[in-house]
PDB file of all heavy atoms in Angstrom:
ATOM      1  N   ALA A  98      30.807  10.770 -13.763  1.00 93.00           N
ATOM      2  CA  ALA A  98      29.591  10.879 -14.593  1.00 93.00           C
ATOM      3  C   ALA A  98      29.445  12.295 -15.154  1.00 93.00           C
ATOM      4  O   ALA A  98      29.584  13.273 -14.423  1.00 93.00           O
ATOM      5  CB  ALA A  98      28.365  10.534 -13.753  1.00 93.00           C
ATOM      6  N   ASP A  99      29.198  12.393 -16.444  1.00 95.00           N
ATOM      7  CA  ASP A  99      28.957  13.695 -17.083  1.00 95.00           C
ATOM      8  C   ASP A  99      27.481  14.043 -17.095  1.00 95.00           C
ATOM      9  O   ASP A  99      27.105  15.201 -17.283  1.00 95.00           O
ATOM     10  CB  ASP A  99      29.461  13.674 -18.541  1.00 95.00           C
ATOM     11  CG  ASP A  99      30.955  13.466 -18.610  1.00 95.00           C
ATOM     12  OD1 ASP A  99      31.684  14.334 -18.109  1.00 95.00           O
ATOM     13  OD2 ASP A  99      31.395  12.428 -19.138  1.00 95.00           O
ATOM     14  N   SER A 100      26.643  13.028 -16.961  1.00 96.00           N
ATOM     15  CA  SER A 100      25.207  13.254 -17.079  1.00 96.00           C
ATOM     16  C   SER A 100      24.469  12.193 -16.258  1.00 96.00           C
ATOM     17  O   SER A 100      24.907  11.045 -16.201  1.00 96.00           O
ATOM     18  CB  SER A 100      24.823  13.139 -18.562  1.00 96.00           C
ATOM     19  OG  SER A 100      23.434  13.098 -18.691  1.00 96.00           O
ATOM     20  N   VAL A 101      23.370  12.594 -15.618  1.00 97.00           N
ATOM     21  CA  VAL A 101      22.575  11.650 -14.834  1.00 97.00           C
ATOM     22  C   VAL A 101      21.153  11.630 -15.384  1.00 97.00           C
ATOM     23  O   VAL A 101      20.487  12.675 -15.471  1.00 97.00           O
ATOM     24  CB  VAL A 101      22.542  12.043 -13.336  1.00 97.00           C
ATOM     25  CG1 VAL A 101      21.697  11.031 -12.550  1.00 97.00           C
ATOM     26  CG2 VAL A 101      23.947  12.116 -12.760  1.00 97.00           C
ATOM     27  N   VAL A 102      20.719  10.455 -15.780  1.00 97.00           N
ATOM     28  CA  VAL A 102      19.329  10.243 -16.191  1.00 97.00           C
ATOM     29  C   VAL A 102      18.624   9.660 -14.976  1.00 97.00           C
ATOM     30  O   VAL A 102      19.012   8.586 -14.504  1.00 97.00           O
ATOM     31  CB  VAL A 102      19.256   9.240 -17.364  1.00 97.00           C
ATOM     32  CG1 VAL A 102      17.810   8.948 -17.735  1.00 97.00           C
ATOM     33  CG2 VAL A 102      20.047   9.755 -18.561  1.00 97.00           C
ATOM     34  N   VAL A 103      17.622  10.346 -14.448  1.00 97.00           N
ATOM     35  CA  VAL A 103      17.054   9.890 -13.172  1.00 97.00           C
ATOM     36  C   VAL A 103      15.556   9.614 -13.261  1.00 97.00           C
ATOM     37  O   VAL A 103      14.800  10.397 -13.830  1.00 97.00           O
ATOM     38  CB  VAL A 103      17.352  10.911 -12.036  1.00 97.00           C
ATOM     39  CG1 VAL A 103      16.730  12.272 -12.306  1.00 97.00           C
ATOM     40  CG2 VAL A 103      16.898  10.365 -10.681  1.00 97.00           C
ATOM     41  N   ARG A 104      15.167   8.475 -12.712  1.00 97.00           N
ATOM     42  CA  ARG A 104      13.754   8.171 -12.483  1.00 97.00           C
ATOM     43  C   ARG A 104      13.580   7.935 -10.988  1.00 97.00           C
ATOM     44  O   ARG A 104      14.344   7.172 -10.384  1.00 97.00           O
ATOM     45  CB  ARG A 104      13.302   6.943 -13.264  1.00 97.00           C
ATOM     46  CG  ARG A 104      11.898   6.495 -12.825  1.00 97.00           C
ATOM     47  CD  ARG A 104      11.299   5.470 -13.728  1.00 97.00           C
ATOM     48  NE  ARG A 104      10.921   6.060 -15.003  1.00 97.00           N
ATOM     49  CZ  ARG A 104      10.154   5.422 -15.906  1.00 97.00           C
ATOM     50  NH1 ARG A 104       9.702   4.209 -15.655  1.00 97.00           N
ATOM     51  NH2 ARG A 104       9.840   6.007 -17.042  1.00 97.00           N
ATOM     52  N   HIS A 105      12.567   8.602 -10.419  1.00 97.00           N
ATOM     53  CA  HIS A 105      12.368   8.511  -8.968  1.00 97.00           C
ATOM     54  C   HIS A 105      10.876   8.620  -8.676  1.00 97.00           C
ATOM     55  O   HIS A 105      10.145   9.290  -9.413  1.00 97.00           O
ATOM     56  CB  HIS A 105      13.134   9.659  -8.285  1.00 97.00           C
ATOM     57  CG  HIS A 105      13.435   9.409  -6.841  1.00 97.00           C
ATOM     58  ND1 HIS A 105      12.471   9.535  -5.857  1.00 97.00           N
ATOM     59  CD2 HIS A 105      14.580   9.045  -6.220  1.00 97.00           C
ATOM     60  CE1 HIS A 105      13.030   9.253  -4.682  1.00 97.00           C
ATOM     61  NE2 HIS A 105      14.312   8.950  -4.873  1.00 97.00           N
ATOM     62  N   ASN A 106      10.448   7.976  -7.584  1.00 94.00           N
ATOM     63  CA  ASN A 106       9.013   8.040  -7.263  1.00 94.00           C
ATOM     64  C   ASN A 106       8.598   9.349  -6.604  1.00 94.00           C
ATOM     65  O   ASN A 106       7.406   9.603  -6.435  1.00 94.00           O
ATOM     66  CB  ASN A 106       8.594   6.836  -6.397  1.00 94.00           C
ATOM     67  CG  ASN A 106       9.407   6.741  -5.120  1.00 94.00           C
ATOM     68  OD1 ASN A 106      10.234   7.607  -4.847  1.00 94.00           O
ATOM     69  ND2 ASN A 106       9.179   5.696  -4.353  1.00 94.00           N
ATOM     70  N   ALA A 107       9.555  10.209  -6.267  1.00 96.00           N
ATOM     71  CA  ALA A 107       9.214  11.495  -5.637  1.00 96.00           C
ATOM     72  C   ALA A 107       9.140  12.595  -6.694  1.00 96.00           C
ATOM     73  O   ALA A 107      10.111  12.819  -7.429  1.00 96.00           O
ATOM     74  CB  ALA A 107      10.251  11.866  -4.589  1.00 96.00           C
ATOM     75  N   SER A 108       7.999  13.281  -6.768  1.00 97.00           N
ATOM     76  CA  SER A 108       7.888  14.433  -7.666  1.00 97.00           C
ATOM     77  C   SER A 108       8.897  15.484  -7.204  1.00 97.00           C
ATOM     78  O   SER A 108       8.993  15.771  -6.010  1.00 97.00           O
ATOM     79  CB  SER A 108       6.470  15.014  -7.591  1.00 97.00           C
ATOM     80  OG  SER A 108       5.527  14.045  -7.983  1.00 97.00           O
ATOM     81  N   GLY A 109       9.669  16.022  -8.140  1.00 97.00           N
ATOM     82  CA  GLY A 109      10.664  17.038  -7.782  1.00 97.00           C
ATOM     83  C   GLY A 109      12.061  16.466  -7.581  1.00 97.00           C
ATOM     84  O   GLY A 109      13.019  17.231  -7.413  1.00 97.00           O
ATOM     85  N   ALA A 110      12.212  15.139  -7.610  1.00 97.00           N
ATOM     86  CA  ALA A 110      13.534  14.529  -7.358  1.00 97.00           C
ATOM     87  C   ALA A 110      14.569  15.007  -8.388  1.00 97.00           C
ATOM     88  O   ALA A 110      15.721  15.290  -8.032  1.00 97.00           O
ATOM     89  CB  ALA A 110      13.428  13.007  -7.379  1.00 97.00           C
ATOM     90  N   ALA A 111      14.165  15.100  -9.649  1.00 97.00           N
ATOM     91  CA  ALA A 111      15.122  15.510 -10.689  1.00 97.00           C
ATOM     92  C   ALA A 111      15.581  16.959 -10.466  1.00 97.00           C
ATOM     93  O   ALA A 111      16.755  17.291 -10.660  1.00 97.00           O
ATOM     94  CB  ALA A 111      14.488  15.356 -12.069  1.00 97.00           C
TER      95      ALA A 111
END
Side-chain angles (χ1 to χ4, degrees):
D99 297 297
S100 169
V101 180
V102 176
V103 62
R104 170 169 288 192
H105 201 283
N106 57 4
S108 300

